[in-house]
Amino acid sequence: MSQGPPRSQFTQSVLAVDNARKQRRTRLLAGLAGLLALVLCAGGWLVWAAADDSEAGDQGAKAVQQAPDAIRDTVETAPSSPVGHLAVDYREKAFERRFGRDASVRAPGTWATDKTLVRAVGGTLKGFGIGTSKEAWSTELGGPVCGTTRHVTADGRTAVLFQEPTRVPEDDKPKKDDDKKDTKDDKKGSKKPKGKKDDKKRDDKNKKKGDKKKGSKKDGKKKGKGKKDRADAPAPAPCTQLALVDLDTGKKLWQVALPDAKDASPTSTNVTMTRGTVTVAWVRGSVAYDMKGGDRLWQDTRPSVCGNAGLAGGNVLLALRECGAGADRTYRVQRLDPRTGKALWTYGVASGVQRVHLVSSEPAVVAVAVRGTGVDKLLALDDLGAYRSTVDMPEGRYIDDCFTARFGTVETCDAIVAERDRLFLATKPKDPEVNRIVSFDLATGKVVRRFESRGRGAMYPLELSGGRLLAFRGSADGVAPDAVVSLDPESGRETPFLLFSVPDGAGPVKPGETDVLVEGGRVFIAPKELRAEPGERAEGAAYGALGVEGA
């Protein structure tokens, strides 16, 4: 079992505090098995955990060997024991001291391989060794991350979009360096004789230095107030930098600047991947790069009546086009050839729709908002772009987080899962413990089955793997464990996949606010924004990620 991360640039507490933290964590995990037994014996959980072991282990065979540049498609196998053990414990220590009590830092990306958990935090990518919690690597990007994709290649690579580095005016650079040099020289004394030119340069530097000191108080007031709401508030720079990263090493395999992308903002730009191709879309353009070396394959940056609202990747590539403005705005969905950018088919969304979101590329599922800001309907299309069915979403019935994402308008519906013939939605809880997951037939749009939470804790779907639905279930009372459960779409049977306890400092696990990732039989919980944990015992740290694995 991991004893937590070692000292690093984020680990500045004293040994006594570290030991106390380790002891608390050890007690928490050591008591989980006993806690589980207590809860199981309490009633309904006994039947739940005693489900057919062969079925729990039959999540499906290992995925067929994929090409290195194919989009990863892992078939999850349930651990032999569902009792979770700590695999990763990542906390940003000294967070409050560095950023402030009320500050938050965006963390819009979570990925995992067999060896490493990776998080995007501000303008940095951080890799943590699974089973050790040690920071394996850290890669500074140079600017805040403003776009990520959940897609990962079979050999563990993903694409990250980030802002241009904030440029310091040229006049400021020498002053900062010279000030440090002058201070050093004043302490040690300079043995080198100075001529008149050197004296003149030093006088000029001292004058600049004095001017800087005179304005420091005023400048400090300007910088100090109103800056704690978001510690990494994006600088006025576009999201033009794209990199392909090896998740096990943190190495940037290549980096390019997007062409003609001065208007590419964090809220209107998205990045995604298909086999061998990385694509980016923003309002006035889109571009694709070869995954192998970053060579540009195609670009579309010509002014057009229809702008780019986003690209959805995976096994196929879909594009969302927004045409016109105001009451005359219309939308089109297109399937593109990822290597050429040419449209293979086009589906025109009916007029009168206010907003559109690409939920899934395969199957093609489109979320539309007709009356307000929430999703009213989900439209399913077939492989040729023809209308297939409609799934109605009455206002307030289902969890709808498609239009609440801070980054982009594509592939961000965390509470909707679709596969070729079925779609899964979670209802909004009637109280914190009671809700259901509903499955729909995409051929007809009708309800097929309902999975009841039965008061064990509200749940929502995560992914389909090996023909079974994996769903997150929160603790109903803070005593019973949190869980990822496996649901059989055919029989409705529920079996535990992994049981664990989410620390209070991690905050509530909610769609749109928390990444919940299942990879390699492990479960990872990571907030999309880092904030200082409440309470004096938290020591000003921010919870970054939790990883658990079975026996």
Side-chain angles (χ1 to χ4, degrees):
M1 180 172 66
S2 169
Q3 296 299 319
R7 278 183 168 76
S8 67
Q9 57 179 327
F10 300 116
T11 311
Q12 300 177 9
S13 57
V14 296
L15 182 60
V17 175
D18 281 344
N19 288 336
R21 177 72 60 184
K22 293 175 185 177
Q23 292 170 5
R24 183 174 68 87
R25 189 185 306 118
T26 301
R27 288 195 302 270
L28 175 66
L29 294 172
L32 183 57
L35 172 63
L36 176 60
L38 175 64
V39 176
L40 292 177
C41 293
W45 285 65
L46 180 61
V47 177
W48 179 58
D52 190 350
D53 290 337
S54 63
E55 182 177 326
D58 258 352
Q59 291 292 329
K62 291 285 185 180
V64 177
Q65 185 68 34
Q66 294 181 280
D69 62 350
I71 301 304
R72 184 176 64 188
D73 184 15
T74 306
V75 177
E76 298 296 336
T77 300
S80 57
S81 168
V83 178
H85 299 275
L86 190 67
V88 174
D89 183 18
Y90 158 42
R91 299 173 72 251
E92 283 279 2
K93 298 191 176 179
F95 182 90
E96 181 180 344
R97 178 173 58 79
R98 294 165 57 214
F99 300 113
R101 160 54 57 182
D102 300 323
S104 64
V105 174
R106 289 188 175 113
T110 306
W111 308 270
T113 70
D114 290 339
K115 301 177 182 178
T116 315
L117 172 70
V118 180
R119 295 238 58 202
V121 179
T124 307
L125 298 180
K126 301 172 182 288
F128 299 88
I130 292 176
T132 68
S133 292
K134 292 181 179 179
E135 185 176 303
W137 54 262
S138 179
T139 301
E140 295 293 334
L141 297 173
V145 173
C146 54
T148 61
T149 174
R150 65 172 180 262
H151 300 301
V152 175
T153 63
D155 62 354
R157 295 171 291 163
T158 196
V160 178
L161 186 67
F162 53 100
Q163 289 179 291
E164 295 177 356
T166 304
R167 290 181 172 83
V168 179
E170 292 298 326
D171 291 343
D172 291 345
K173 291 180 180 178
K175 283 194 293 185
K176 186 176 180 181
D177 294 337
D178 289 342
D179 285 347
K180 291 181 180 179
K181 183 176 179 182
D182 291 345
T183 303
K184 184 176 181 182
D185 289 343
D186 289 342
K187 289 181 179 179
K188 293 184 177 181
S190 177
K191 297 181 180 180
K192 182 179 179 180
K194 301 179 180 62
K196 293 182 179 180
K197 291 183 179 180
D198 293 328
D199 292 337
K200 187 177 185 302
K201 287 181 180 179
R202 180 168 290 270
D203 291 339
D204 290 341
K205 291 171 186 172
N206 289 335
K207 183 178 179 181
K208 291 179 181 178
K209 183 177 178 182
D211 293 340
K212 185 177 180 181
K213 287 182 177 179
K214 289 180 182 179
S216 61
K217 186 176 182 180
K218 184 177 180 181
D219 293 342
K221 288 182 179 179
K222 288 182 179 180
K223 294 180 180 179
K225 291 186 177 181
K227 294 290 185 179
K228 288 188 177 182
D229 289 339
R230 186 164 304 286
D232 63 330
C239 298
T240 62
Q241 301 300 308
L242 174 68
L244 188 72
V245 180
D246 185 318
L247 294 174
D248 279 328
T249 66
K251 181 181 179 181
K252 286 194 288 186
L253 303 175
W254 51 259
Q255 179 177 337
V256 296
L258 306 184
D260 303 323
K262 294 181 180 180
D263 60 343
S265 68
T267 57
S268 64
T269 307
N270 87 291
V271 56
T272 193
M273 303 193 306
T274 57
R275 178 170 178 173
T277 308
V278 180
T279 58
V280 181
W282 61 102
V283 175
R284 296 184 180 276
S286 57
V287 62
Y289 297 92
D290 182 70
M291 194 178 286
K292 185 175 182 180
D295 295 328
R296 190 186 306 170
L297 297 173
W298 53 267
Q299 72 177 73
D300 180 12
T301 55
R302 296 169 297 175
S304 173
V305 176
C306 297
N308 293 283
L311 294 165
N315 291 327
V316 300
L317 182 64
L318 291 189
L320 178 61
R321 309 290 191 192
E322 183 177 329
C323 312
D328 298 326
R329 182 186 293 113
T330 59
Y331 293 89
R332 301 173 186 170
V333 178
Q334 295 180 322
R335 179 171 174 176
L336 304 183
D337 182 331
R339 305 299 288 182
T340 66
K342 293 181 179 180
L344 302 177
W345 52 252
T346 300
Y347 174 81
V349 180
S351 60
V353 171
Q354 297 183 22
R355 303 183 72 180
V356 176
H357 186 103
L358 296 183
V359 177
S360 168
S361 62
E362 191 183 38
V365 177
V366 182
V368 299
V370 179
R371 294 180 297 273
T373 58
V375 175
D376 299 309
K377 300 177 184 297
L378 296 174
L379 307 179
L381 310 179
D382 66 17
D383 293 340
L384 299 178
Y387 169 81
R388 191 178 177 191
S389 67
T390 296
V391 174
D392 289 319
M393 295 185 65
E395 184 177 359
R397 179 175 298 179
Y398 298 103
I399 296 176
D400 163 26
D401 63 327
C402 296
F403 299 121
T404 60
R406 296 183 180 275
F407 299 92
T409 59
V410 173
E411 298 182 316
T412 56
C413 301
D414 291 342
I416 301 177
V417 171
E419 59 103 34
R420 185 165 187 83
D421 297 314
R422 284 164 293 191
L423 182 139
F424 300 85
L425 299 174
T427 62
K428 291 185 178 179
K430 295 179 180 179
D431 61 52
E433 294 82 32
V434 181
N435 82 328
R436 64 173 64 97
I437 292 176
V438 183
S439 68
F440 295 84
D441 184 345
L442 286 181
T444 64
K446 295 182 179 180
V447 173
V448 176
R449 186 175 296 280
R450 295 177 177 87
F451 302 88
E452 303 289 343
S453 68
R454 298 187 179 91
R456 298 175 188 156
M459 57 184 181
Y460 68 92
L462 298 174
E463 64 176 73
L464 274 153
S465 180
R468 298 175 67 87
L469 178 69
L470 298 178
F472 175 82
R473 181 199 295 280
S475 173
D477 52 14
V479 177
D482 303 278
V484 167
V485 298
S486 174
L487 305 174
D488 186 341
E490 303 301 330
S491 67
R493 169 170 261 180
E494 175 183 327
T495 55
F497 183 88
L498 202 56
L499 309 176
F500 48 90
S501 179
V502 178
D504 293 338
V509 179
K510 295 181 179 180
E513 297 181 15
T514 311
D515 287 329
V516 180
L517 178 65
V518 182
E519 182 60 39
R522 303 181 179 96
V523 175
F524 302 93
I525 310 289
K528 293 186 178 182
E529 290 194 12
L530 270 58
R531 295 183 176 88
E533 298 177 49
E536 294 182 1
R537 295 182 62 183
E539 303 155 10
Y543 210 95
L546 169 73
V548 291
E549 59 187 353

